[in-house]
Amino acid sequence: MLPLLLLGGALGVAAEQAAPLAFTMLQLTRVYKGNSMIRGNASLNGQLSHVLEENNVTQVLPLEPPDAWARRQEMVMSYLDIFRQLVQLFNKERPTKFTQHLCCHLGCRLYPNGTAQSFYEVTLNRTAFLTFHVPNATWERRWPGDLPVATYALEQLMKYPITTQDLQYFLNTTCVSILQTQSARTGKVSGRSRTPLVLGLVLGSLILLGMALGIFLCTGGSC
């Protein structure tokens, strides 16, 4: 019995050590009659690092000094204000009487052998909508069946470096470097880190801007 217990313990330790480090972000947007509600969060290795609630974004972990964080906080809120204004403008041109739900889920994982995996997934009304293929910086449709808004959103997202090459760089380089730094510190989070984690939230809001025109002008009609 003792050898079995020791074996079970060893396997448990090995499994724990093999678990990848992860940095993930989730951004949820709900739009109804021109009004938008935005919230989200970011987690570093299972610890909540940032929270986005309507008109306020905060860093739960002291990952950036106050002056740097204040600048990034202002940047995020500026982009979100632009998004809300666009939603109101589009709603005036083509009012919608039903609620739209947009969800962006992105991040990266670093495995013990040094390999990394990044992802960016978008759902619309709780259905798979678009996926960003990180290796070649291209967007792919995931919506089942033919949907004009999916095609239009895909075309818009592929037009700009911020939603292709810049996003690829963030996921492949910035995001992974966050985890490499975390790994080098043996799992301890340091308040001295100046890594711009909130860049992901900024990119997330830009992705929303890129899709807004298609979603609110093409829904219910043809592009």
Side-chain angles (χ1 to χ4, degrees):
M1 179 63 71
L2 180 58
L4 290 176
L5 291 175
L6 292 176
L7 177 60
L11 291 174
V13 171
E16 181 179 353
Q17 292 176 343
L21 297 176
F23 177 61
T24 59
M25 287 173 291
L26 183 68
Q27 184 168 324
L28 307 171
T29 303
R30 176 181 179 272
V31 177
Y32 180 66
K33 291 186 177 180
N35 297 313
S36 56
M37 181 181 70
I38 303 172
R39 58 189 177 90
N41 61 70
S43 297
L44 176 60
N45 198 27
Q47 290 183 281
L48 187 66
S49 60
H50 296 83
V51 175
L52 173 64
E53 285 288 349
E54 287 296 310
N55 296 315
N56 189 37
V57 56
T58 58
Q59 61 170 355
V60 179
L61 297 178
L63 298 171
E64 294 186 284
D67 56 340
W69 171 247
R71 291 192 297 271
R72 302 191 194 287
Q73 188 178 38
E74 183 178 356
M75 186 187 306
V76 173
M77 301 321 300
S78 175
Y79 282 126
L80 294 179
D81 285 342
I82 293 173
F83 175 73
R84 292 189 180 95
Q85 293 172 15
L86 279 176
V87 170
Q88 293 175 355
L89 175 63
F90 297 155
N91 186 69
K92 290 180 180 179
E93 296 188 11
R94 182 174 292 189
T96 56
K97 298 181 181 180
F98 51 89
T99 303
Q100 298 274 24
H101 295 272
L102 190 66
C103 174
C104 297
H105 182 218
L106 65 152
C108 61
R109 303 180 184 93
L110 179 65
Y111 294 88
N113 62 2
T115 60
Q117 179 186 29
S118 302
F119 64 93
Y120 199 123
E121 304 164 341
V122 182
T123 62
L124 176 62
N125 298 330
R126 301 180 179 87
T127 301
F129 187 56
L130 295 170
T131 297
F132 184 66
H133 189 249
V134 181
N136 59 6
T138 58
W139 286 91
E140 301 174 354
R141 285 184 50 171
R142 286 291 180 265
W143 189 271
D146 186 26
L147 182 69
V149 63
T151 301
Y152 187 85
L154 181 65
E155 293 173 351
Q156 294 301 307
L157 289 172
M158 288 300 300
K159 282 184 178 180
Y160 308 104
I162 190 69
T163 53
T164 51
Q165 290 93 341
D166 291 356
L167 181 57
Q168 180 191 48
Y169 182 85
F170 170 75
L171 292 171
N172 269 347
T173 305
T174 306
C175 186
V176 174
S177 69
I178 293 170
L179 298 179
Q180 290 172 337
T181 301
Q182 178 78 351
S183 178
R185 291 171 180 155
T186 63
K188 295 182 179 179
V189 177
S190 170
R192 296 190 299 273
S193 173
R194 293 176 180 269
T195 306
L197 300 181
V198 78
L199 176 61
L201 292 174
V202 175
L203 285 170
S205 63
L206 287 171
I207 297 295
L208 293 176
L209 293 177
M211 284 190 285
L213 185 62
I215 292 172
F216 297 106
L217 285 182
C218 297
T219 300
S222 59
C223 297

